Amino acid sequence: MMKSFGKMEYCWWALIGITLFNTFLGEKFNSSALVSILVALTVMCKGLMIIDHFMELRHAHRYLRLLMRAYLIFFPSLIMVTTLL
Amino acid sequence: MNSEPPKAPLGIFPSSWSELRAGRIPGNIPIWVGILSELTEFGIFFVAYFIAKYHYPEAFSQGPQSVSTLAGVTNTLILLSSSYFIAKAMINIRLDNRAKCEVYLWLTLACGCLYLLVKSGEFYWNHQQGFRTSSSEFFTVYYYMTFNHFLHVGWAACAVLWVIFRVRRGAYSAKQHSGLEALAMYWHMIDLMWILIFPLLYVLR
């Protein structure tokens, strides 16, 4: 359980900020390798924030935590792989 | 007949897998079976997306420029907020504050309904533009992924309504709230899937 309420609000605003940054990247720049890598990293970051802070898996069963983290690292990584193809 | 659920471990798994050694399981084991099944299903969609994008780069470059980015961003913000609200509902039930927990659950439900409205509007707008599942390879993947996600939000919203009813009946407390936590886990999973879908279908070109 999160100890301070403020931390959760901070997390919520960070997620909103990252979403708007992602959209800005997609709208303002042509899809270059750099944009794709930045988008993939921000998606990874958002996913891990939700897993740790909203789902509270940081201190949960280690295999559940590892599985969820691996999922949210693997699929955004495929975005980076496609830029190399 | 004894209707009490068995409390002792079955003894068929390694002890390192036990909650005592490996950590707490939020919600309950059945919901995690469901969540991992859903993750597998969406994982197959994502793999299909990358294979299709590799074979039809033109369609996947044009496609995201045709769909409404505004609708996509709005729905992302709505789902992120809904995840925040359900996390707050969890905090409040742990403090035994049922009234506040219920308020946050209503906010979660409102976000779910708003998401369904925005998505329906987006589907209608696409229809008016003449986009169909067969318009291009991008739209086949787009409709398959987004409509599937739409259904998940729909039935999870019904589950939120059921949990609100249970909270009002006093079914959950600071000591016993695994049902509410199971729903919260499922709702966060739906949010996570949208977080992956959004850049693939709306941002990357």
Side-chain angles (χ1 to χ4, degrees):
Chain A
M1 179 178 162
M2 294 201 59
K3 288 189 176 59
S4 86
F5 276 25
K7 207 171 174 186
M8 198 172 272
E9 275 77 30
Y10 167 78
C11 187
W12 182 31
W13 285 111
L15 288 166
I16 287 176
I18 294 170
T19 303
L20 296 176
F21 175 67
N22 258 355
T23 316
F24 171 77
L25 282 178
E27 286 290 297
K28 291 290 171 194
F29 301 99
N30 287 328
S31 228
S32 65
L34 183 65
V35 169
S36 299
I37 289 168
L38 273 176
V39 168
L41 289 175
T42 52
V43 169
M44 229 180 258
C45 180
K46 273 167 84 174
L48 296 178
M49 277 172 88
I50 289 181
I51 288 171
D52 280 350
H53 299 293
F54 286 174
M55 293 181 98
E56 302 171 4
L57 289 188
R58 184 180 272 185
H59 306 293
H61 195 284
R62 83 169 79 103
Y63 296 127
L64 278 186
R65 190 179 68 237
L66 286 175
L67 209 61
M68 293 298 287
R69 283 186 180 174
Y71 194 94
L72 265 296
I73 289 171
F74 176 74
F75 285 103
S77 300
L78 286 183
I79 296 174
M80 293 191 232
V81 171
T82 52
T83 62
L84 304 172
L85 296 175
Chain B
M1 195 180 122
N2 183 13
S3 58
E4 280 281 302
K7 289 191 177 70
L10 294 173
I12 54 174
F13 299 112
S15 63
S16 62
W17 291 17
S18 71
E19 277 197 60
L20 203 65
R21 295 267 306 270
R24 196 175 74 89
I25 294 174
N28 50 48
I29 290 177
I31 198 67
W32 278 101
V33 173
I35 287 173
L36 296 177
S37 308
E38 303 281 21
L39 290 178
T40 309
E41 183 194 9
F42 278 101
I44 293 167
F45 291 163
F46 296 138
V47 170
Y49 166 91
F50 285 111
I51 292 171
K53 191 176 181 180
Y54 177 75
H55 286 285
Y56 306 99
E58 192 71 15
F60 279 79
S61 168
Q62 296 289 318
Q65 294 174 52
S66 316
V67 294
S68 168
T69 312
L70 180 66
V73 181
T74 309
N75 269 339
T76 310
L77 300 183
I78 290 169
L79 282 184
L80 286 174
S81 303
S82 72
S83 252
Y84 166 74
F85 291 138
I86 207 159
K88 292 287 274 186
M90 278 307 303
I91 286 179
N92 279 289
I93 200 68
R94 283 171 185 154
L95 298 172
D96 247 339
N97 193 342
R98 279 185 214 145
K100 255 189 146 178
C101 171
E102 192 188 324
V103 169
Y104 280 115
L105 284 172
W106 279 114
L107 286 170
T108 308
L109 180 66
C111 284
C113 293
L114 205 57
Y115 168 94
L116 294 173
L117 266 175
V118 172
K119 199 86 217 138
S120 303
E122 187 188 334
F123 283 147
Y124 180 67
W125 185 81
N126 284 348
H127 179 76
Q128 282 189 319
Q129 307 298 309
F131 300 130
R132 308 276 187 276
T133 50
S134 54
S135 295
S136 74
E137 290 76 13
F138 170 83
F139 276 100
T140 309
V141 174
Y142 166 88
Y143 277 112
Y144 206 70
M145 238 190 236
T146 54
F147 188 70
N148 203 288
H149 189 266
F150 180 90
L151 290 179
H152 280 75
V153 176
W155 65 57
C158 296
V160 174
L161 200 58
W162 168 248
V163 166
I164 290 173
F165 172 73
R166 299 263 296 154
V167 169
R168 289 178 86 106
R169 297 268 308 260
Y172 306 119
S173 64
K175 281 187 181 161
Q176 212 304 96
H177 50 259
S178 64
L180 173 53
E181 195 169 36
L183 171 72
M185 291 301 116
Y186 192 81
W187 192 271
H188 290 310
M189 181 276 294
I190 290 173
D191 182 28
L192 279 176
M193 291 305 96
W194 182 259
I195 278 172
L196 276 166
I197 292 172
F198 171 65
L200 298 184
L201 298 178
Y202 296 85
V203 178
L204 295 170
R205 283 147 198 198

